[in-house]
């Protein structure tokens, strides 16, 4: 976020000064957002992909820094746990063939990081939650040893004052307590960015919130955590609980969570969402910069607002507003709910639907909101994560004055033409939109996303194998199919007695 974090302990005076600084920068951001012409420019898209490192047995390989040392690709970086890596794709124009450009970049990067991992005796797996994770893989000893992550863990534990409680319902309900944030590393995501005009940010953001519900349901890829069969997208439930800095509170009082779908429809632009982060959540990393943002603004420059961006980056909304001082300054929406995997083409198909539905809904979203109470949208988001393509969610219908229960498959089908028109209207070539939306549509109609394939594969393998062995073999067959580059809806079912070896030297192709 623009400030180098070199230590993990801070004084109370530093926290106080940091709080004053982010309040000041919040005012500057409001002024900046209202300047005529600020942030205007062609729409762009970007992406971040988080990955797992695994060893020859399919277990997590704690060697992210060693793997990075074997690659010259500086777009890769470490993530929270030592078996996590992250790739940051270059932004590209939305007009033309943006998804093909991202697919080519991701595929090339995976070839390179696969080579580097192989030299360290490992493999790369894009998947929402690694099904072979064990409880002992998610302890403080696995945290990547950099000051940022140590400082985050220390401060969140101090604010909470007790263990984190993980309670997730499912076929095999999970209940455990943990003393460290390292469990967050169990989930990896595919995050997409969309640059949007500041003056209409609220419309795009609200549209993104709505579009995320069906996009997430169709893209679930995280049904198993520590051997427990839970939500289709268990990441959503897990992340909120393992970085929860709130004290255990009486049932009548529910403070806001740092991880959330939000607290209401956006009304006053991106600055409103930054204000919520500042006013609702205590600072975690009070690193102070040297910029005087008012002076920068007065001299005609674009202030970096590094402290505000750093703080906002420790409030993890599933769709987050981003301020970037680059390219003359602009705002983006960061879509954080989609999981990693199974293949590059699957991830880009989900992104095409998500961005297209956002663009298609935005012009008319203000008419939709009065018929869609925010609490119902938040409920729909969590039902989508819990039940995936089987979810039934509340959604406004033209034929009814109030929201009705709609199968999420029906909602996807209803929004696909709107997603196509949104992409094409923004300059995406028709052939490009069709290529990726057709993959998304076929997945929805087949009823098979990554989560559903994993569940069925595990059930088939458990007929002849122990649960642990079935998980290992299921991951091996997941890797083999993903390495083919074929989208998940085309994957053949697993036979219980089969044992296929993963294709250890093939990246996940597009």
């Amino acid at each position: 976020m623009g400030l180098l974090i070199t230590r993990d302990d801070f004084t109370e005076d530093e926290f106080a000064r940091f709080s004053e600084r982010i309040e000041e920068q919040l005012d500057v951001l409001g002024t900046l957002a209202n300047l005529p012409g600020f942030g205007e420019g062609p729409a762009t898209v970007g992406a971040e992909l988080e990955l797992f490192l695994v060893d020859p047995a399919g277990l997590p390989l704690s060697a992210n820094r060693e793997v990075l040392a074997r690659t010259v690709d500086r777009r890769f970086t470490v993530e929270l746990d030592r078996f996590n890596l992250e790739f940051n794709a270059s932004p590209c124009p939305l007009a033309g063939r943006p998804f093909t450009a991202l697919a080519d970049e991701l595929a090339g990067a995976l070839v390179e990081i696969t080579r580097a991992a192989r030299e360290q005796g490992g493999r790369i797996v894009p998947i929402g939650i690694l099904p072979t994770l064990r409880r002992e893989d998610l302890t403080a000893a696995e945290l990547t040893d950099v000051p940022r992550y140590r400082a985050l863990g220390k401060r969140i534990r101090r604010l909470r004052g007790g263990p984190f409680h993980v309670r997730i319902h499912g076929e095999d309900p999970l209940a455990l307590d943990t003393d460290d944030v390292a469990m967050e590393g169990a989930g990896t995501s595919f995050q997409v960015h969309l640059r949007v005009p500041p003056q209409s940010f609220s419309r795009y953001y609200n549209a993104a919130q709505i579009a995320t519900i069906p996009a997430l349901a169709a893209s679930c890829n995280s049904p198993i955590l520590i051997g427990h069969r839970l939500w289709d997208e268990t990441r959503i439930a897990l992340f909120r609980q393992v970085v929860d800095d709130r004290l255990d509170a009486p049932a009548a009082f529910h403070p806001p969570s740092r991880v959330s779908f939000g607290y209401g429809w956006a009304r006053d632009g991106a600055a409103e969402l930054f204000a919520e982060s500042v006013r609702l959540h205590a600072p975690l990393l009070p690193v102070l910069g040297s910029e005087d943002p008012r002076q920068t603004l007065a001299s005609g420059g674009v202030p970096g607002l590094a402290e505000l961006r750093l703080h906002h980056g420790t409030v993890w909304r599933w769709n987050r507003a981003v301020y970037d001082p680059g390219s003359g300054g602009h705002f983006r929406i960061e879509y954080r709910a989609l999981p990693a995997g199974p293949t590059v083409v699957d991830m880009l198909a989900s992104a095409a639907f998500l961005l297209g539905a956002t663009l298609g809904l935005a012009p008319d979203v203000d008419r939709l909101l009065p018929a869609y109470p925010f609490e119902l949208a938040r409920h729909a988001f969590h039902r989508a994560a819990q039940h995936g393509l089987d979810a039934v969610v509340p959604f406004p219908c033209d034929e009814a004055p109030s929201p009705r229960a709609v199968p999420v498959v029906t909602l996807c089908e209803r929004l696909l033409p709107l997603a196509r028109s949104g992409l094409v209207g923004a300059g995406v070539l028709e052939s490009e939109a069709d290529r990726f939306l057709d993959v998304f549509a076929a997945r929805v109609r087949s009823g098979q996303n990554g989560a559903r394939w994993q569940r069925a594969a595990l059930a088939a393998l458990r007929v002849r194998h122990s649960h642990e062995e079935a998980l290992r073999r299921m991951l091996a067959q997941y890797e083999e199919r993903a390495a083919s580059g074929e989208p998940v809806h085309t994957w053949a079912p697993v036979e219980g007695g089969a044992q296929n070896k993963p294709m250890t030297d093939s990246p996940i192709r597009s």
Side-chain angles (χ1 to χ4, degrees):
M1 293 297 176
L3 287 174
L4 182 63
I5 299 170
T6 58
R7 54 196 173 94
D8 52 27
D9 279 312
F10 302 94
T11 67
E12 290 305 312
D13 180 62
E14 285 173 313
F15 278 104
R17 289 162 57 203
F18 185 85
S19 295
E20 293 174 359
R21 190 75 63 86
I22 59 177
E23 285 283 355
E24 176 191 17
Q25 293 182 6
L26 192 61
D27 289 340
V28 173
L29 182 67
T31 301
L32 193 63
N34 289 315
L35 290 178
F38 171 78
E40 299 294 340
T44 58
V45 294
E48 304 165 49
L49 174 58
E50 297 168 345
L51 301 160
F52 281 100
L53 276 169
V54 301
D55 66 14
L59 298 174
L61 176 64
S62 300
N64 56 5
R65 300 180 83 172
E66 293 84 351
V67 170
L68 283 185
R70 295 178 179 272
T71 178
V72 297
D73 192 335
R74 298 308 167 200
R75 295 170 297 177
F76 282 98
T77 184
V78 298
E79 250 294 337
L80 185 76
D81 285 344
R82 294 195 295 143
F83 47 77
N84 299 139
L85 288 166
E86 179 180 282
F87 175 75
N88 294 280
S90 307
C92 62
L94 176 61
R97 299 189 180 276
F99 306 112
T100 296
L102 285 172
D104 290 345
E105 185 176 9
L106 288 169
L110 286 168
V111 168
E112 166 59 15
I113 202 65
T114 294
R115 180 202 58 76
R118 187 168 58 246
E119 290 184 5
Q120 196 62 35
R123 305 193 304 273
I124 297 294
V125 182
I127 192 169
I129 293 178
L130 190 69
T132 53
L133 282 170
R134 304 156 299 181
R135 180 66 185 87
E136 58 265 33
D137 298 318
L138 300 168
T139 64
E142 292 303 317
L143 204 68
T144 300
D145 188 22
V146 295
R148 177 187 180 89
Y149 299 134
R150 293 198 305 268
L152 274 174
K154 282 185 178 181
R155 185 59 179 173
I156 290 175
R157 288 196 305 273
R158 188 171 301 166
L159 289 172
R160 181 166 176 80
F164 304 96
H165 307 306
V166 178
R167 305 288 186 269
I168 306 176
H169 297 295
E171 203 171 345
D172 311 309
L174 177 64
L176 59 83
D177 293 343
T178 179
D179 291 322
D180 199 86
V181 300
M183 202 160 184
E184 182 205 329
T188 58
S189 61
F190 176 61
Q191 300 169 15
V192 186
H193 290 241
L194 175 67
R195 176 174 173 170
V196 297
Q199 299 308 315
S200 50
F201 184 91
S202 292
R203 286 204 307 274
Y204 283 100
Y205 185 82
N206 291 332
Q209 294 277 76
I210 295 170
T212 296
I213 296 165
L216 174 62
S219 307
C220 293
N221 196 30
S222 311
I224 300 162
L225 173 62
I226 318 177
H228 291 250
R229 294 164 294 179
L230 303 168
W231 290 18
D232 271 18
E233 194 49 50
T234 303
R235 289 172 43 256
I236 302 301
L238 176 68
F239 190 21
R240 181 181 62 81
Q241 297 181 45
V242 295
V243 293
D244 194 348
D245 64 349
R246 302 171 295 177
L247 296 171
D248 291 333
F253 176 60
H254 299 284
S257 170
R258 293 191 94 94
V259 178
S260 76
F261 186 69
Y263 311 108
W265 299 117
R267 303 294 182 187
D268 297 319
E272 170 193 17
L273 303 179
F274 280 84
E276 285 186 356
S277 294
V278 170
R279 306 281 161 68
L280 294 179
H281 302 287
L284 300 181
L285 301 171
V287 180
L288 298 169
S290 58
E291 180 192 47
D292 181 339
R294 295 189 188 281
Q295 182 177 348
T296 301
L297 188 62
S299 64
V302 179
L305 306 183
E307 290 94 332
L308 180 60
R309 292 160 56 216
L310 175 61
H311 174 70
H312 191 63
T314 65
V315 179
W316 297 281
R317 284 178 179 244
W318 291 112
N319 290 314
R320 184 160 63 185
V322 173
Y323 164 70
D324 190 332
S327 302
H330 63 275
F331 290 115
R332 300 195 302 268
I333 298 170
E334 180 186 23
Y335 300 80
R336 300 173 47 79
L338 296 181
T343 67
V344 169
V345 72
D346 282 308
M347 291 184 282
L348 271 301
S350 297
F353 175 83
L354 180 54
L355 297 184
T358 297
L359 296 165
L361 284 165
D364 204 32
V365 73
D366 290 341
R367 181 191 63 81
L368 185 63
L369 296 188
Y372 203 15
F374 186 80
E375 287 298 322
L376 288 185
R378 179 161 51 192
H379 172 80
F381 172 78
H382 288 100
R383 294 296 74 75
Q386 187 172 10
H387 301 295
L389 283 168
D390 286 339
V392 177
V393 300
F395 198 80
C397 302
D398 291 338
E399 62 273 14
S402 59
R404 292 288 185 267
V406 178
V408 79
V409 169
T410 302
L411 182 55
C412 288
E413 296 277 6
R414 183 184 301 174
L415 292 179
L416 271 163
L418 193 66
R420 185 183 188 277
S421 66
L423 292 176
V424 173
V428 176
L429 295 177
E430 291 186 2
S431 58
E432 175 85 350
D434 290 341
R435 174 191 171 193
F436 290 94
L437 291 179
D438 284 352
V439 172
F440 184 88
R443 186 197 312 157
V444 170
R445 290 162 190 160
S446 74
Q448 180 167 285
N449 56 18
R452 287 306 151 116
W453 185 90
Q454 288 186 57
R455 288 187 187 278
L458 181 60
L461 290 163
R462 286 185 65 183
V463 172
R464 299 187 184 182
H465 304 287
S466 70
H467 188 62
E468 291 73 19
E469 179 65 10
L471 287 169
R472 188 189 69 79
R473 293 182 181 229
M474 184 266 281
L475 177 62
Q477 296 206 28
Y478 174 101
E479 289 184 74
E480 180 181 27
R481 286 161 172 76
S484 75
E486 295 299 319
V488 69
H489 72 271
T490 68
W491 290 9
V494 169
E495 296 181 3
Q499 181 181 10
N500 296 347
K501 294 181 180 179
M503 300 174 67
T504 57
D505 57 353
S506 297
I508 311 302
R509 297 195 297 268
S510 62

